[in-house]
Amino acid sequence: MRRKIPSTQALQCFESAARHQSYTRAAQELALTQSAVSRQIAQLESFLNVQLFQRTRHGVLLTPSGADYAQQVARRLDALERDTLDAMARFGQSRAVHLSAVPTFATRWLMPRLPALAQQHPEIVVHLETSTRAFLFADSERDAALYAGTPEQVANWAGTHATELLPEVVVPVCGPALLAGRQKLQAADVAQLPLLQQSTRPDAWRQWFEANGVDAPLALAGPRHELFSLTAAAAAHGLGVALVPRLLVQDELARGELVVACDRPFASGRRYWFVTPELAEEPIAVGLLRAWLVAEARAAA
């Protein structure tokens, strides 16, 4: 039976025009003429018997029905592209895992270990993207996530299963010049230095000072950066002291670009987790990746 599906070219033209709100820019993106894009969209509207765009003095504007359809089409075209790339990877013989990970953990901890995964499981292909926030697996094409959070946060992530990998232990670090030749500081001394803030961990410094019995009125002050890699880079350039997980700055510490400003490590209460959606049957590649990650975490502990 023939499916009630419009042509992929018409859908591509529509998705591009909807995203840009412009036939002209869609034509440029797709290497077509504007009239070709307009013709494809007109044919799609005729196929659907629905008006997708309305013309204005400044170009075109999505109708409410067009906006709803554009959201669905974009998601399905993305999924079709991912499925196609998965089939092409390793000539279709691989088992692909779409993995989301917190950025600095992905680049500093996971990436150096991926060659070992490729050697142990050459059939697994990991497609990696980064995210600092939890998300709904039902609204994405991701198979798993490497997430940093507290047990309570993970427990509240609906419809998921979490496997603990590593605890997060943070330590204050800075560039050697900031210490001006002094040995490691006391916690009270750190409160007098410029503090670099992590925007995803706004209370981190306050918690560290409280754990060390230090009154620090400026614990929330200082420039904010979204990623640990950014705060570490700012610290290495002498802009202040960063409170970062030691496991994410091992290379900088080994090279002397960063030094531990105060040897008071603090268990933040967060952990790194391997999170997957709750499924009746887990994909084989996801299970293999979980087992490999658990073994790597144990070796790194």
Side-chain angles (χ1 to χ4, degrees), residues 106-161:
T107 56
R108 302 292 181 87
W109 191 88
L110 176 64
M111 194 63 70
R113 290 170 167 79
L114 285 181
L117 174 66
Q119 185 174 14
Q120 185 174 341
H121 294 290
E123 75 280 13
I124 297 178
V125 175
V126 177
H127 301 303
L128 185 63
E129 61 181 69
T130 59
S131 174
T132 59
R133 309 290 181 183
F135 55 87
L136 295 177
F137 281 100
D139 294 339
S140 76
E141 298 298 325
R142 288 168 278 198
D143 300 306
L146 287 173
Y147 177 70
T150 64
E152 293 76 18
Q153 288 173 322
V154 171
N156 289 329
W157 194 345
T160 65
H161 172 72

Side-chain angles (χ1 to χ4, degrees), residues 55-75:
R55 293 193 175 275
T56 70
R57 289 185 302 171
H58 305 291
V60 293
L61 193 66
L62 281 167
T63 64
S65 296
D68 289 341
Y69 191 52
Q71 187 177 27
Q72 299 299 323
V73 167
R75 184 179 301 135

Side-chain angles (χ1 to χ4, degrees), residues 237-287:
H237 285 88
L239 295 178
V241 186
L243 191 61
V244 298
R246 188 191 291 267
L247 66 87
L248 300 183
V249 291
Q250 295 285 21
D251 289 345
E252 289 90 338
L253 291 171
R255 293 192 298 263
E257 297 168 7
L258 289 173
V259 296
V260 175
C262 178
D263 200 6
R264 295 288 184 89
F266 174 67
S268 69
R270 293 174 180 262
R271 295 165 173 80
Y272 291 94
W273 310 82
F274 182 68
V275 184
T276 56
E278 289 183 339
L279 300 173
E281 185 176 353
E282 182 176 79
I284 294 174
V286 173

